[in-house]
Amino acid sequence: MVRFSNPILPGFHPDPSICRVDEDYYLVTSSFEWFPGVPIFHSKDLVHWRQLGHVLDRASQLPLDGVRPSGGIYAPTLRHHDGLFYMITTLVDGLMESGNFIVTAADPAGPWSEPYWLPETEGFDPSLFFDDDGRAWVHGARPARQRRHEGHTEVWLRELDLDGMKLVGEEHILWDGAVKGAVWAEGPHLYKIGGAYYLLVSEGGTEHDHAISVARAGKVTGPYTGSTRNPILTHRNLGRDHPIVGTGHGDLVQTPGGDWWMVLLAMRPYGGYHYNLGRETFLTPVRWEDGWPVAGLVEPAGDAPSVPPCRWPAPPACDNFDTPRLMPQWNHLRTPREPYWTLTERPGFLRLRGRPESITERTNPSLIARRQEHAHFAAHTAMEFVPENRERAGLALVQNDDFHILLVMTASGLTVIRRQDGVDHTMVQADVPPGRLWLGVEAHGQEYQMLYGTRPGEWRRLGEPVDGRVLSSSMAGGFIGAYIGMYLSGENHPTGNVADFDWFEYLPLPEH
């Protein structure tokens, strides 16, 4: 029997949604304030995934300007119907646009359409259901109209006119949670299985008390009756010392052979109840008993689905910046409105152009970053930069505007800054000559050791390990996992300077 390991998508990949087209599986996750939005992945065996790109890769699709930390794109749903892919999601607290919208594509790799906004809807976590009678339905979560307690939400349903991309007909309230006093009934998905309609809903909040429940009805509009075995999946009863916590926000998929599986989010705490990697995508089997889906504990490893394995070529550990466009793992913080980066101005280098914007503000700074995917990892880069005035350039480990770690070259020297609760703390500063520098970080759990070199391969430690808990949402709040990348800022002062990065390497490290 072939085995697989969880998570199937490590690092910040929350709120997974999945659909199958013939023998191919496609999956999307939330992206919040990071751009491009909604990464999309492809698999043939549910275990091995390759990133196709992003659904929202144009500024016209995704105005994240000024979005607060953990605002932006929440909980997308991906579906396929009559040869067309549909993705529906919510832009939360956008300053230019906000609300629920749909985009479509004939090819999941894109291009995707401009958004079809649904101004008649409210709330978050919208989903799509295509019934076998040709009708389409939008459903989502919102604060309950007759709110009984804090966090009381309800799931609503309304028909979608596919020709006009607008909601029509009567609204129906389907569900407000399985447990007495339930909070945050959200992330709903509808399915028709064996002639019955099933509503899969998360509740308890996307933290330790997260859970998944299910309800069933004879008509899509209800009434829905919950399973007596609800919640059908949760780890909240296992304690905070369990290696996998916060299980929830699931989506079901059936293999061509008839087996059922669920993708869902969960966290892996380490160094205490902290999860710098954020909410990750996991896979777990589902079986049916007495007409209801049943799921067990989400395990770190298990028997793989009974489909032929399909392993994709592993992406290179080192990006030499010799491609015409950034590789899909790289993200920007909020929507870039000007090309502050270039791969062609100095071939073989990523050049960042200096601007006043800083990662301490709700702006789009000169930052190219990727997800931290392992508790134990190393990241290295070679940078050429001569600072002027208040400029700083180097490596940034980012949770949000008020919680991050910097290893940056400044006019005062090579500096390590740990920012917590919006206050910068200079941990160490070294008199290192500017020019070409090798910068690195090695993380072993919550100890992040900063490194530098002035010659290839001659790494030196810079100060003591930095406490990495500022990179966990358990300390910083919000829903984001940690990012690491290359950064340049004039720190609120105009600058025409540039920083050139020759390559960037990210490697997992052994735990011991």
Side-chain angles (χ1 to χ4, degrees):
M1 177 66 71
V2 178
R3 303 278 288 175
F4 79 97
S5 297
N6 267 320
I8 54 172
L9 290 177
F12 168 59
H13 294 103
D15 310 320
S17 177
I18 192 170
C19 70
R20 178 174 66 87
V21 182
D22 298 325
E23 296 181 354
D24 295 276
Y25 303 89
Y26 301 95
L27 185 150
V28 294
T29 66
S30 297
S31 50
F32 293 88
E33 69 262 37
W34 291 92
F35 184 96
V38 188
I40 183 165
F41 301 87
H42 172 223
S43 176
K44 285 185 169 293
D45 60 7
L46 288 172
V47 171
H48 304 96
W49 295 86
R50 60 170 180 169
Q51 187 172 353
L52 298 178
H54 294 81
V55 174
L56 306 174
D57 59 4
R58 303 189 300 275
S60 59
Q61 296 172 305
L62 186 54
L64 293 171
D65 310 67
V67 165
R68 64 172 174 83
S70 291
I73 292 296
Y74 278 34
T77 294
L78 182 67
R79 295 293 183 257
H80 183 264
H81 175 69
D82 280 352
L84 202 61
F85 288 89
Y86 294 77
M87 192 282 296
I88 186 170
T89 188
T90 314
L91 173 51
V92 175
D93 290 341
L95 301 187
M96 300 174 66
E97 295 276 4
S98 277
N100 298 315
F101 65 91
I102 299 172
V103 291
T104 64
D107 184 341
W112 288 76
S113 71
E114 291 297 304
Y116 298 95
W117 292 93
L118 302 173
E120 61 271 55
T121 65
E122 58 180 305
F124 52 95
D125 292 7
S127 186
L128 284 168
F129 171 66
F130 296 96
D131 209 340
D132 50 20
D133 61 2
R135 300 172 78 181
W137 300 86
V138 173
H139 45 295
R142 70 182 182 201
R145 293 288 174 83
Q146 298 180 357
R147 195 175 180 189
R148 294 192 295 270
H149 51 264
E150 182 69 25
H152 182 202
T153 56
E154 62 189 13
V155 175
W156 56 269
L157 172 79
R158 199 170 168 195
E159 189 171 359
L160 174 66
D161 173 14
L162 291 175
D163 293 328
M165 279 296 186
K166 61 182 180 180
L167 300 189
V168 295
E170 181 183 356
E171 181 182 87
H172 306 269
I173 305 302
L174 304 186
W175 195 247
D176 68 347
V179 178
K180 184 176 181 180
V183 297
W184 302 116
E186 58 191 10
H189 292 304
L190 277 168
Y191 316 87
K192 190 173 187 180
I193 303 168
Y197 295 89
Y198 290 85
L199 176 65
L200 196 70
V201 180
S202 293
E203 61 184 62
T206 184
E207 293 180 344
H208 189 79
D209 290 335
H210 217 187
I212 296 175
S213 297
V214 65
R216 186 176 64 192
K219 298 191 303 180
V220 68
T221 55
Y224 282 83
T225 301
S227 169
T228 58
R229 299 168 185 172
N230 279 331
I232 63 166
L233 190 152
T234 188
H235 281 200
R236 62 191 178 197
N237 57 312
L238 302 178
R240 293 181 181 270
D241 57 350
H242 195 74
I244 299 172
V245 300
T247 52
H249 206 106
D251 198 5
L252 294 174
V253 68
Q254 188 180 26
T255 69
D259 295 329
W260 286 90
W261 291 81
M262 182 190 295
V263 293
L264 69 157
L265 70 80
M267 297 90 77
R268 294 181 292 165
Y270 61 94
Y273 196 75
H274 304 287
Y275 30 88
N276 304 27
L277 306 183
R279 298 172 301 156
E280 307 172 281
T281 292
F282 289 71
L283 179 70
T284 195
V286 173
R287 64 186 189 278
W288 291 80
E289 292 182 357
D290 304 322
W292 293 100
V294 177
L297 297 181
V298 179
E299 301 288 354
D303 293 334
S306 298
V307 296
C310 180
R311 295 175 175 85
W312 307 108
C318 185
D319 191 338
N320 290 300
F321 302 124
D322 51 7
T323 55
R325 299 179 60 185
L326 287 172
M327 300 296 285
Q329 70 265 29
W330 296 111
N331 289 172
H332 311 270
L333 188 54
R334 306 183 182 88
T335 306
R337 296 293 178 179
E338 56 182 330
Y340 66 80
W341 72 101
T342 173
L343 293 167
T344 59
E345 199 166 283
R346 186 181 177 188
F349 287 77
L350 170 66
R351 169 165 287 180
L352 296 185
R353 298 190 177 101
R355 299 182 298 152
E357 287 82 0
S358 166
I359 59 172
T360 62
E361 304 165 322
R362 296 182 183 181
T363 59
N364 167 240
S366 295
L367 171 71
I368 303 291
R370 54 153 295 156
R371 291 161 175 81
Q372 177 187 337
E373 297 179 353
H374 305 85
H376 305 268
F377 77 93
H380 308 102
T381 189
M383 178 184 74
E384 295 182 13
F385 173 66
V386 179
E388 302 171 359
N389 301 319
R390 298 183 60 181
E391 297 164 353
R392 54 176 60 168
L395 288 177
L397 296 113
V398 182
Q399 166 54 228
N400 62 34
D401 310 345
D402 288 334
F403 292 81
H404 51 251
I405 300 169
L406 301 178
L407 170 59
V408 286
M409 190 66 191
T410 71
S412 302
L414 188 59
T415 307
V416 177
I417 299 168
R418 182 179 186 268
R419 185 174 176 88
Q420 179 176 343
D421 292 317
V423 178
D424 284 348
H425 303 272
T426 298
M427 310 302 292
V428 65
Q429 195 167 73
D431 185 13
V432 177
R436 186 174 177 91
L437 280 176
W438 285 258
L439 303 175
V441 56
E442 289 189 6
H444 294 278
Q446 296 296 351
E447 294 186 350
Y448 287 67
Q449 179 64 61
M450 303 299 137
L451 306 168
Y452 77 98
T454 56
R455 296 179 182 178
E458 294 185 3
W459 291 103
R460 305 176 185 177
R461 295 179 179 177
L462 184 58
E464 296 299 316
V466 179
D467 184 351
R469 290 176 294 174
V470 291
L471 303 176
S472 172
S473 60
S474 58
M475 177 178 287
F479 307 121
I480 306 297
Y483 272 74
I484 180 169
M486 296 149 288
Y487 174 59
L488 168 61
S489 175
E491 293 300 307
N492 299 309
H493 290 265
T495 174
N497 205 353
V498 299
D500 290 339
F501 295 86
D502 194 353
W503 46 265
F504 184 99
E505 176 185 67
Y506 178 95
L507 296 167
L509 295 177
E511 295 188 16
H512 304 290

